[in-house]
Amino acid sequence: MKNIEKMLNAVLQLRGVSLELGENLIPVAHTAEGMRKLTKTPLGEREIRLLLSEWEELSKGQKSFQLNEEVFHFEERGGKFLFTRGRPEHTQTEQFDTQKLLKLIVEKGASDLHLSSGCRPIIRLDGEIITLEEFDPVNETELLNQLKAIVPANALKQFEETNDVDLAYSIPGLARFRTNIFRDHRGACVVFRVIPSEILTLKMLGVPKEVVELTSLSKGLILVTGPTGSGKSTTLAALVDHINRTCSKHIITIEDPLEFIHENKKSHVNQREIHTHTESFKKSLRAALREDPDVILVGEMRDLETIAIAVEMAVTGHLVLGTLHTATAVGTVDRIVDQFPVDQQSQIRVMLSDSLVGVVSQVLCKKKGGGRIAAYEVLIVTPSVANLIRESKTFQIPSLMQTGRGLGMQLMNDALLELVEKKIVSAEDAVARSTDPDDLRKTLKMKGLS
């Protein structure tokens, strides 16, 4: 077997999409998980010439060659040699079409669409990455042409200047999509995340009633936390929608970008998008103080000043909803305090103990039979919890959460255990999502559920 055949076979074994060769470069296979090196050392000019000669011989001078029922297409690009996996001539494939693919992922119930230059379209369904083999690899020129038809000119300009841009895109009657356009080593790429046109209710999401009751407060800070892709935006939208339907208030949302669109119901809602309607989170928060708000949603509390203003607003008579990328309720409190200089941490602990009313930390688990469901850790800030925050004894909060189940408090492992006991989620997936997997594994074994 020729060396070029061995390399192409390696691409197939890795479920890769292409082989890339270059002088003084290590041969790599491009896969959905990234680049995989095929040798330990770079190839010199002589080795490259030999491999190209072998390709010429196999393909009989053509640009394509069929190997093990797969076709590889050859092209030279920027001094590199790319062998892209295609399809046998007798198998029909479709050229990718962004609009058609967006409709497809909504129909399939997928959460994301990935379009990367040189790769077939990829979707995320029930948390799993799936390559759409029925489509041709994405062509960068065609991708950019299709994006020009749907992306605002200012966003395209930002992408051209910085190679990265966030925006929201809407197809009327179908859905909105949180969109990020970027570049990688292959070229232009874009990821679309589905924002359902219908806002799910708190009951449909399974949010504990004690968290729902917090939305009736006139002031305080409610935080929804969790890793990227855990459904935080969906939960926040449901909280805002609940207030909108049940209370007569002025709600201001500050987001990057706008995701769920809220029509005025019982409340009046103003939604502002960073870089479109306002410059930054902190500037729009300061401006909100002069806009007569009752409820303010901060899409992401990402810096010290934004956090400080949000906490201050919660203390001075506003209900503030925010989000952080933290995994546990206790971790959320510590993360906020640690954002501040040491000489300010005592003051922020006092302000946080007075303002924080609840923390919801969530993860998404795979349901048996398909679909996903959220597991919620809930911290309700009682006077005892507030005192621990004030005295910098947050390590004791989990104990209060265990004894405070009657108040609606719940640790993540307890939430995951309940989903396993109800046979909604597998024990393996629950352990994988846990922030304390050893403890959960031990509990599951004790209950005969592992």
Side-chain angles (χ1 to χ4, degrees):
M1 181 181 291
K2 298 181 185 294
N3 290 321
I4 190 67
E5 288 181 277
K6 292 178 182 178
M7 288 187 176
L8 295 175
N9 270 312
V11 173
L12 296 179
Q13 290 170 9
L14 292 169
R15 296 178 59 83
V17 295
S18 63
L19 165 68
E20 183 180 298
L21 303 177
E23 190 175 333
N24 298 320
L25 297 175
I26 292 176
V28 294
H30 294 293
T31 73
E33 291 78 30
M35 291 191 297
R36 299 284 296 274
K37 295 179 180 179
L38 300 183
T39 65
K40 294 182 179 179
T41 57
L43 300 182
E45 180 184 359
R46 182 175 177 278
E47 289 91 349
I48 292 292
R49 284 206 313 267
L50 178 60
L51 289 169
L52 293 178
S53 174
E54 290 179 345
W55 169 265
E56 285 284 321
E57 186 179 341
L58 287 172
S59 67
K60 295 181 171 53
Q62 302 300 309
K63 293 291 185 181
S64 300
F65 172 69
Q66 185 166 332
L67 179 69
N68 296 336
E69 299 185 355
E70 289 284 349
V71 169
F72 282 91
H73 304 285
F74 169 76
E75 64 175 313
E76 184 176 355
R77 185 192 297 172
K80 297 179 182 179
F81 306 98
L82 199 64
F83 302 82
T84 304
R85 186 175 161 193
R87 304 286 291 182
E89 293 181 2
H90 60 269
T91 304
Q92 294 297 315
T93 59
E94 295 184 56
Q95 184 177 357
F96 82 97
D97 179 283
T98 302
Q99 297 278 54
K100 182 176 181 178
L101 286 165
L102 290 174
K103 292 175 184 176
L104 178 66
I105 65 169
V106 172
E107 291 170 2
K108 285 180 173 287
S111 61
D112 300 84
L113 169 67
H114 296 247
L115 299 177
S116 298
S117 297
C119 300
R120 298 187 193 282
I122 290 171
I123 65 173
R124 185 181 292 276
L125 181 63
D126 295 341
E128 299 292 330
I129 288 289
I130 299 171
T131 300
L132 300 181
E133 298 285 354
E134 64 270 31
F135 288 90
D136 289 334
V138 173
N139 175 276
E140 181 180 28
T141 301
E142 182 58 29
L143 176 60
L144 291 173
N145 285 337
Q146 292 187 24
L147 290 177
K148 286 176 183 176
I150 64 176
V151 173
N154 63 328
L156 282 174
K157 183 179 178 182
Q158 183 181 338
F159 169 64
E160 290 168 359
E161 292 174 350
T162 66
N163 289 326
D164 211 345
V165 66
D166 288 310
L167 65 144
Y169 172 61
S170 179
I171 298 180
L174 183 69
R176 284 170 60 79
F177 303 88
R178 187 172 69 200
T179 308
N180 179 266
I181 310 172
F182 62 101
R183 288 189 187 278
D184 73 355
H185 63 285
R186 299 186 191 94
C189 309
V190 59
V191 177
F192 296 92
R193 168 157 291 181
V194 179
I195 306 168
S197 53
E198 178 188 0
I199 298 174
L200 300 178
T201 66
L202 293 170
K203 185 176 182 180
M204 292 166 70
L205 293 173
V207 175
K209 63 181 179 62
E210 290 80 7
V211 176
V212 180
E213 290 169 0
L214 294 178
T215 62
S216 64
L217 297 174
S218 60
K219 68 174 185 176
L221 176 64
I222 302 173
L223 295 175
V224 178
T225 76
T228 301
S230 60
K232 298 186 297 295
S233 297
T234 302
T235 300
L236 280 171
L239 289 168
V240 170
D241 183 62
H242 179 76
I243 298 170
N244 191 15
R245 286 186 290 103
T246 59
C247 305
S248 178
K249 296 189 176 183
H250 179 206
I251 304 169
I252 295 176
T253 78
I254 305 164
E255 303 170 69
D256 182 21
L258 287 185
E259 296 189 8
F260 295 89
I261 301 301
H262 298 272
E263 302 296 337
N264 291 341
K265 294 175 183 174
K266 198 169 182 180
S267 290
H268 174 55
V269 187
N270 290 123
Q271 294 185 258
R272 307 189 71 193
E273 182 173 88
I274 303 300
H275 304 306
T276 302
H277 310 122
T278 182
E279 187 176 318
S280 66
F281 281 107
K282 60 187 177 185
K283 285 200 172 185
S284 54
L285 264 178
R286 289 196 182 282
L289 288 168
R290 301 184 296 275
E291 293 160 3
D292 186 35
D294 298 296
V295 180
I296 302 169
L297 175 126
V298 187
E300 191 173 336
M301 294 167 61
R302 59 175 63 155
D303 59 69
L304 185 150
E305 191 170 355
T306 300
I307 293 171
I309 300 169
V311 171
E312 183 181 347
M313 294 182 79
V315 171
T316 56
H318 305 86
L319 185 63
V320 179
L321 310 179
T323 179
L324 283 170
H325 292 282
T326 48
T328 66
V330 174
T332 300
V333 175
D334 291 337
R335 168 78 174 275
I336 291 175
V337 173
D338 290 344
Q339 287 275 337
F340 291 80
V342 174
D343 61 343
Q344 296 179 29
Q345 289 184 0
S346 294
Q347 180 186 355
I348 197 63
R349 282 194 197 98
V350 172
M351 292 182 69
L352 200 56
S353 67
D354 290 339
S355 63
L356 188 65
V357 294
V359 181
V360 182
S361 297
Q362 62 184 79
V363 294
L364 279 182
C365 302
K366 288 187 288 186
K367 293 172 68 174
K368 291 181 177 180
R372 292 198 282 179
I373 187 171
Y376 300 98
E377 177 170 282
V378 179
L379 169 63
I380 305 295
V381 182
T382 62
S384 297
V385 172
N387 190 51
L388 292 178
I389 294 173
R390 192 178 299 112
E391 295 181 359
S392 189
K393 296 179 179 178
T394 53
F395 63 90
Q396 295 181 17
I397 290 177
S399 296
L400 284 183
M401 293 174 69
Q402 285 181 318
T403 58
R405 291 182 68 89
L407 300 173
M409 294 201 229
Q410 178 172 255
L411 290 168
M412 181 58 75
N413 273 4
D414 294 329
L416 292 168
L417 177 62
E418 184 178 348
L419 292 175
V420 175
E421 289 177 326
K422 291 181 176 178
K423 302 187 186 308
I424 298 173
V425 171
S426 71
E428 294 76 16
D429 192 53
V431 169
R433 309 293 172 187
S434 174
T435 53
D436 188 357
D438 290 339
D439 179 69
L440 180 57
R441 200 178 284 113
K442 188 186 304 180
T443 304
L444 290 168
K445 187 174 182 179
M446 184 178 67
K447 290 179 171 285
L449 295 170
S450 59

